[in-house]
């Protein structure tokens, strides 16, 4: 991971961490599927506009283009967000972020069958488990309430949908440029969510209300975590692979906790600090080899 990739990685985690709180606020007046649909309608139009304005081609040329467009659009954009937003109606933002910490645990298992060349080392597996423990500490969930919540099932299902999209989305054979592919993914996901809003009972655009505060949250979700966030995500996914990108779920909860504290006045418990430290240790274990190489380069550069 280059310094540029690392900066994009942290920026993406920050943007997506704020999205949990923004979604929770917007769900006060808009149902989950219409909210997701509107968010990605706007985000898709923004990316399509950028592609057109910069003179890039928008025409898919074969299965090498359509495969990532359909898989990424339906799984990572459509199904994942419909399930996640439905779950967030009853699951607090911090707990939802914690449950998505299962993505890094699921990803290596699925990747082992889909991409045998990408695996975690035994030390990396320990790091994943330590990081997940840190995520649990940050949210400090009540197991008895979680077990009884239907929303938890929706969030867990969204983690499965996300993992499937990340593992099976590959741009290796694509002829379209990355920006055009990502615009198509958002567009496919948005159209799927639009259709779902009309056919899923209890989900309706007509019942949504848009006071100024909700409009601001929706626009934020569409532009920052939406258009910009997914542009960065799919760019890094193609460069770093699904296991590396699955680990971003361990970096998101700290940002979600801090944003919730700043915007909603949610307190930071002592367990949150312990969780931050556990996440740091988990990442250090997963990236132990890369950290050793970086330290060696740094020391060599200083003649030590």
């Amino acid at each position: 991971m280059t310094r540029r990739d690392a900066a994009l990685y942290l920026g993406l985690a920050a943007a997506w961490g704020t999205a949990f709180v923004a979604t929770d606020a917007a769900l006060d007046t808009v149902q989950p599927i219409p909210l997701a649909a509107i968010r990605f309608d706007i985000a898709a139009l923004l990316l399509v506009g950028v592609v057109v304005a910069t003179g890039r081609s928008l025409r898919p040329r074969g299965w090498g283009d359509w495969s990532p467009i359909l898989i990424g659009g339906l799984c990572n954009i459509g199904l994942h967000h419909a399930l996640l937003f439905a779950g967030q109606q009853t699951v607090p933002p911090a707990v939802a972020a914690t449950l998505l910490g299962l993505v890094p645990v699921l990803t290596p298992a699925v990747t082992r069958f889909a991409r045998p060349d990408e695996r975690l080392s035994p030390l990396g597996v320990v790091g994943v488990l330590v990081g997940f423990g840190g995520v649990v500490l940050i949210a400090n969930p009540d197991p008895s309430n979680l077990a009884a919540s239907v929303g938890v099932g929706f969030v867990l299902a969204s983690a499965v949908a996300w993992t499937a999209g990340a593992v099976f989305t590959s741009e290796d054979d694509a002829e379209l440029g990355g920006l055009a592919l990502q615009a198509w993914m958002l567009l496919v996901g948005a159209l799927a969510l639009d259709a779902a809003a009309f056919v899923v009972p209890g989900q309706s655009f007509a019942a949504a209300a848009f006071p100024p505060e909700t409009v601001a949250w929706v626009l934020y979700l569409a532009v920052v975590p939406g258009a910009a966030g997914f542009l960065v995500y799919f760019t890094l996914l193609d460069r770093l692979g699904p296991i590396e990108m699955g680990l971003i779920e361990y970096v998101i909860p700290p940002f979600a906790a801090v944003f919730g504290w700043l915007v909603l006045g949610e307190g930071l418990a002592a367990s949150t600090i312990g969780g931050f430290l556990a996440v740091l240790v988990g990442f250090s274990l997963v990236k132990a080899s890369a950290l050793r190489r970086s330290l060696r380069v740094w020391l060599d550069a200083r003649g030590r």
Side-chain angles (χ1 to χ4, degrees):
M1 185 181 291
T2 65
R3 290 182 180 179
R4 178 174 177 271
D5 287 342
L8 290 173
Y9 201 92
L10 288 175
L12 178 61
W16 282 0
T18 64
F20 282 93
V21 179
T23 299
D24 192 58
L27 283 170
D28 288 340
T29 60
V30 186
Q31 290 295 310
I33 294 179
L35 174 60
I38 294 169
R39 171 188 175 180
F40 286 105
D41 285 339
I42 298 171
L45 289 175
L46 286 173
L47 280 191
V48 169
V50 171
V51 173
V52 172
T54 55
R56 291 175 169 87
S57 173
L58 256 178
R59 181 183 176 185
R61 300 183 183 279
W63 185 242
D65 290 331
W66 280 113
S67 175
I69 287 171
L70 293 175
I71 296 174
L74 294 176
C75 292
N76 294 98
I77 306 301
L79 187 57
H80 169 74
H81 286 90
L83 293 168
L84 177 61
F85 285 14
Q88 280 197 250
Q89 285 188 302
T90 54
V91 176
V95 177
T98 298
L99 293 171
L100 288 184
L102 289 175
V103 169
V105 179
L106 294 172
T107 303
V110 177
T111 303
R112 181 173 183 177
F113 296 100
R115 300 185 184 184
D117 57 320
E118 295 191 40
R119 297 186 184 183
L120 281 176
S121 67
L123 187 60
V125 172
V126 174
V128 167
L129 296 177
V130 171
F132 179 70
V135 173
V136 173
L137 279 175
I138 291 171
N140 195 24
D142 182 348
S144 61
N145 291 336
L146 287 175
S149 174
V150 175
V152 169
F154 282 124
V155 177
L156 290 175
S158 78
V160 174
W162 183 271
T163 301
V167 172
F168 293 103
T169 297
S170 173
E171 300 179 12
D172 293 345
D173 298 323
E175 295 185 41
L176 275 178
L179 182 61
L181 278 176
Q182 287 131 29
W184 268 106
M185 289 179 198
L186 264 64
L187 184 59
V188 167
L191 292 174
L193 289 164
D194 288 331
F198 286 104
V199 300
V200 176
Q203 305 293 313
S204 170
F205 289 107
F210 292 95
E213 184 177 354
T214 299
V215 171
W217 284 123
V218 171
L219 289 176
Y220 176 80
L221 283 168
V223 176
V224 180
F230 278 92
L231 174 60
V232 171
Y233 171 76
F234 284 110
T235 299
L236 290 177
L237 179 65
D238 188 49
R239 290 214 290 262
L240 304 180
I243 292 178
E244 292 273 8
M245 290 312 298
L247 290 169
I248 200 171
E249 299 298 342
Y250 287 155
V251 194
I252 291 172
F255 287 105
V258 171
F259 190 63
W261 172 61
L262 291 174
V263 176
L264 303 179
E266 296 177 346
L268 290 175
S271 59
T272 301
I273 306 302
F276 288 169
L277 295 175
V279 168
L280 179 60
V281 171
F283 261 106
S284 298
L285 292 173
V286 171
K287 302 298 294 180
S289 297
L291 290 173
R292 282 195 297 267
R293 286 195 300 270
S294 297
L295 178 60
R296 192 177 302 116
V297 170
W298 184 80
L299 290 174
D300 289 344
R302 283 154 181 77
R304 297 181 183 179

